[in-house]
Amino acid sequence: MKRNVWRLSGLRLQAARLFCLALACLSGAAIAEAATSSISGERVTLVAAENAPDAGALLAGIRMEMKDGWHTYWRMPGDSGIAPTFDWSGSKNVAAVELLWPAPERFDAKGDNTVGYAREIVWPVLVRAADPAKPVTLKLAMSYGVCSNICVPGEADLALDLPGNPAPGTDALIRRYLIRVPAAPADANAVSAKFIAGAKPLLEVRLSDAHEVPALIVEGPAGAWFGTPKAARKGGAVAYAVPVELDPGKTLKGAEVTLTFSGPATAIEAKRKLD
């Protein structure tokens, strides 16, 4: 069922791309510093921070603002989403670019679960100059999808000189999303995962010392799909039961999964090998 959803999603996106071309690519129209979609209304900009947490790097951000009711996608978009792509190859005096992913939210619907960001997202970007004594020109070619009751693809071609002169508020904005990038739990034993095989395979996940009930997003190997987790608080911990759909002959025994916990006060990522 999941694979059929992917195919249907691909057809919708392909149709949207053709629609975009017919309208002279209005959904991907871009200028030097910002890209604005005329179809779905999102705006994409490159913004600079004052300095990076790492003294050897420059800090920037990709900001996407969306209208109410629209959302874009995470690195693992789910059943019918499209993950954004980022091409920095046109940049000058850049040795490395590291894009960071703030904790996303789940958009669960019957038969179609996706993961991403609504209304606004800033992807923090750490940039290392090839020659730190010279300025950097950061150039981005970005492709993405945004969805409401329809899905629309977009493209943005953006440029930013670093070190930059941040507009008022942009430094704080980038750092607000920087602290939302998931980190390993302080206690390595706080997260556990167990695969239960059978007619209805299940992934059991536990997060101890939880002050809230964060959303859980599971990434696993090809041939495995993870449904909407059912969460239950047990004392100071939260237990999740995640339905699993597997290709014929596939098992999760011995596989590694990435578990991301996302809540207003939680941004945790843990990799676990399943026994």
Side-chain angles (χ1 to χ4, degrees):
M1 179 175 68
K2 302 299 183 187
R3 284 166 290 174
N4 290 336
V5 170
W6 275 108
R7 286 197 289 268
L8 288 172
S9 173
L11 291 174
R12 287 199 299 266
L13 288 169
Q14 184 179 21
R17 287 191 180 96
L18 293 173
F19 182 56
C20 169
L21 291 172
L23 294 178
C25 286
L26 289 175
S27 69
I31 58 177
E33 295 182 353
T36 303
S37 166
S38 300
I39 295 175
S40 48
E42 77 278 358
R43 177 178 171 83
V44 186
T45 53
L46 270 178
V47 291
E50 292 177 1
N51 51 63
D54 182 342
L58 299 166
L59 178 61
I62 307 166
R63 184 184 189 187
M64 180 183 287
E65 302 165 90
M66 293 161 279
K67 289 184 177 180
D68 287 346
W70 288 85
H71 62 267
T72 192
Y73 295 101
W74 193 46
R75 66 190 184 204
M76 190 281 293
D79 295 336
S80 63
I82 178 171
T85 62
F86 308 90
D87 181 358
W88 306 98
S89 60
S91 301
K92 297 179 180 178
N93 191 33
V94 170
V97 176
E98 181 183 5
L99 182 133
L100 305 175
W101 295 87
E105 59 181 298
R106 297 184 64 97
F107 304 107
D108 291 334
K110 187 175 181 180
D112 185 23
N113 298 331
T114 56
V115 181
Y117 311 98
R119 299 191 66 179
E120 180 188 69
I121 174 62
V122 176
W123 289 274
V125 179
L126 292 173
V127 183
R128 297 187 182 278
D131 184 349
K134 296 180 180 179
V136 164
T137 297
L138 196 61
K139 289 191 176 182
L140 169 63
M142 178 179 174
S143 296
Y144 58 89
V146 289
C147 280
S148 179
N149 58 337
I150 62 169
C151 291
V152 178
E155 295 180 352
D157 292 301
L158 309 174
L160 181 69
D161 291 328
L162 296 174
N165 184 20
T170 59
D171 184 82
L173 177 68
I174 295 171
R175 293 176 192 281
R176 177 157 59 87
Y177 282 92
L178 187 63
I179 63 174
R180 292 289 302 149
V181 175
D187 178 1
N189 297 317
V191 177
S192 63
K194 182 179 180 181
F195 174 62
I196 308 298
K200 294 183 178 180
L202 199 68
L203 183 67
E204 293 183 346
V205 177
R206 182 180 175 87
L207 174 65
S208 64
D209 194 24
H211 302 290
E212 59 182 347
V213 181
L216 169 64
I217 301 102
V218 183
E219 298 171 89
W225 292 266
F226 302 93
T228 302
K230 293 183 179 180
R233 180 172 284 283
K234 296 184 177 181
V238 180
Y240 300 84
V242 187
V244 179
E245 183 179 331
L246 297 169
D247 275 347
K250 183 79 175 181
T251 181
L252 287 181
K253 293 287 185 180
E256 183 180 79
V257 293
T258 300
L259 308 170
T260 300
F261 301 88
S262 176
T266 305
I268 292 173
E269 181 177 295
K271 296 182 185 294
R272 293 293 181 267
K273 188 174 181 179
L274 303 175
D275 296 329

